[in-house]
Amino acid sequence: MPLSRLLTLIIGVIVVLAMTIWLITSLNWLYGQIAWSASPFLANLLLLLLIVLLAVLIGGLVYYLRLLWLPSASRKGSVRPPVTLPQKKSDAASVNLKAVRSQVEQIQDEVARQALKARSQAIEANLSQGNLQVVVFGTGSAGKSSVVNAILGRVVGRVSAPMGTTTVGETYTLNLPGLEREILITDTPGILESGLEGNERGEVARQWATEADLLLFIVDNDLRQSEYEPLQVLAEIGKRSIVAFNKSDLYGEGDREVILARLRARLRGIVPPSDIVAIAANPPVVRLVTGEAFTPDPEIMPLIRRIVAVLRAEGEDLLADNILLQSQRLGDEARRLLDGQRRRQGMKIVDRYQWIGAGAIAITPLPGVDLLATAAVNAQMVVELGKVYGCELNLERGRELALSLGKTLASLGIVKGVVQLVATGLQFHVGTLVIGKAIQGVSAAYLTRIAGKSFIEYFRQDGDWGDGGITEVVQRQFELTRKEEFVKAFLKDAVARVVEPLQLQREQEPERVKEPLWQPRDVPPRPPAQVQDPPSPRGDDWNQPPPRDDGW
């Protein structure tokens, strides 16, 4: 035991013992007081309580000592059972297919869902049947159909036909000696053909190639750059290839070896040298001295022997690898469709809340623009976005995330930037009387959109802001919304949703009667002035007799 831990234990034991002694002394004194002044029953009840408390303290001390001295024994039951990983590649493919089916069921597009289901069922059937898929791949003039004919030992296509004979993948069943599994060999359209139809056939061929357990790449000369690139791409996704140098009978022995050496040099690291063989699938007719026509047998056995050797040694792994690859590609496509579906649903939520917030703030403006960041990020919007991505949040957690992002908007100066951007864009659309309300409302909608798209990225990454944190995500969304085409479309929508309703509301308000700036309302009105007769020189006493006229 470390020294620090031992000292902590000793100090803890001393403190516990001291407290125990103090407790016993205090209770003993209290017991005596109660027994002397009250009844013995209460004293005995107190003694029982003392015993129970001592038992609890001793039990706690023993439990703590047990944790210190036997840590492994106490934690043995809390060890999680190890996760069982698939031992075989086929088992891993089955697990992956099960996860893919769960993702496919969440796709709302009926056509896309049914198409993915069909592909998933085809992969499962291939996994259960265990057939090996061999795909013949190459340019249209290399003689792919002739190779298939020679392998099968019978004519299955139009040999020596012009480019473009095979327009879709044609599959045939093949049983080779030494192999228990059945082989499905597919002749694909040629690649690198000109024209729109040629490009379409090339895409069909590439699709078949990505689904092959084993590729037979057919060439009739040295490898060109345009042929090397698709072969390299297929090798990068894990495809095993055998390269067959067809029409080798048209070259002399020395030229044939030179071409084989060049092929092996160019494909070093992509195709093993032993998997590059020379064949002649359809030798031309030879005229004998007697004038008779003689058709030589195809020189196809070097290729067949190599196919059997590769499939015998690596067939099970090739089949499992291909099924695993197909299930992974299917899963990637399902995730892509599901991500697009969730993004569309999320943007609908953001669009709804941005105009709700804009209308509320336009009607009741905030006392300062600094409060826009907090008001624009709605906690309920965060909760609904999380639900779309399968992340259940309560409203309290939604408030925490909304508050965090609102502070980020304010700290990065995005609020002021948005207000300035909106004010500049609305200066020709808004009347003077509603300019303040309109700027705040539209700015709130703009900030809500930035926040909503930031949270969509957050939930897309399983509740993680990424290496750059919340600051980088918010800043990137702000830069994306500053593009001219988006700003124009947004302001046009804002004028229709926020500005025009404000102007209409302003026009419908009744005209107010102009009143003086100040009018006392508590002082009663002054009565009208009365006209009084001029005062009589004699006064107001009408009972006195008129003055005597002295004749002056």
Side-chain angles (χ1 to χ4, degrees), residues 58-121:
I58 294 173
L61 181 62
V62 172
Y63 177 75
Y64 180 71
L65 290 174
R66 184 172 176 271
L67 290 178
L68 289 176
W69 289 101
L70 301 173
S72 58
S74 62
R75 298 168 190 165
K76 186 175 181 180
S78 62
V79 178
R80 293 182 179 181
V83 179
T84 304
L85 297 176
Q87 298 295 325
K88 298 181 179 179
K89 294 180 181 180
S90 57
D91 296 337
S94 300
V95 172
N96 200 19
L97 281 173
K98 184 177 180 180
V100 169
R101 285 195 298 269
S102 176
Q103 292 175 336
V104 169
E105 291 299 329
Q106 301 178 46
I107 297 175
Q108 297 177 351
D109 188 341
E110 182 68 20
V111 176
R113 185 171 68 250
Q114 293 301 328
L116 292 178
K117 277 186 176 181
R119 289 177 55 187
S120 175
Q121 292 170 358

Side-chain angles (χ1 to χ4, degrees), residues 271-423:
V271 178
S274 58
D275 289 339
I276 301 175
V277 296
I279 60 173
N282 186 31
V285 177
V286 178
R287 289 288 177 180
L288 299 177
V289 178
T290 60
E292 297 179 0
F294 172 73
T295 303
D297 293 332
E299 297 179 14
I300 199 68
M301 286 309 298
L303 178 59
I304 293 177
R305 284 194 293 266
R306 195 59 206 154
I307 292 174
V308 172
V310 171
L311 293 182
R312 184 182 297 169
E314 309 174 27
E316 298 297 326
D317 287 339
L318 290 177
L319 177 62
D321 287 341
N322 184 41
I323 292 176
L324 186 59
L325 174 64
Q326 296 308 312
S327 63
Q328 289 174 347
R329 289 169 63 89
L330 185 63
D332 292 340
E333 186 171 352
R335 281 189 292 273
R336 180 182 60 80
L337 292 174
L338 189 59
D339 182 65
Q341 171 184 302
R342 287 172 171 174
R343 183 181 290 275
R344 289 190 295 271
Q345 293 175 344
M347 288 309 302
K348 288 182 180 179
I349 294 173
V350 173
D351 189 72
R352 184 174 79 250
Y353 275 98
Q354 74 180 12
W355 299 122
I356 291 175
I361 293 176
I363 295 174
T364 310
L366 299 174
V369 294
D370 293 338
L371 300 176
L372 278 176
T374 304
V377 188
N378 192 298
Q380 185 61 35
M381 178 186 72
V382 179
V383 174
E384 291 186 23
L385 287 175
K387 188 176 181 180
V388 168
Y389 283 88
C391 181
E392 297 294 337
L393 300 176
N394 55 29
L395 193 58
E396 184 62 29
R397 178 57 179 162
R399 290 195 187 97
E400 292 178 2
L401 291 172
L403 181 60
S404 175
L405 197 139
K407 291 180 179 179
T408 303
L409 287 172
S411 64
L412 293 176
I414 293 178
V415 177
K416 294 182 180 179
V418 167
V419 171
Q420 183 179 1
L421 181 67
V422 170

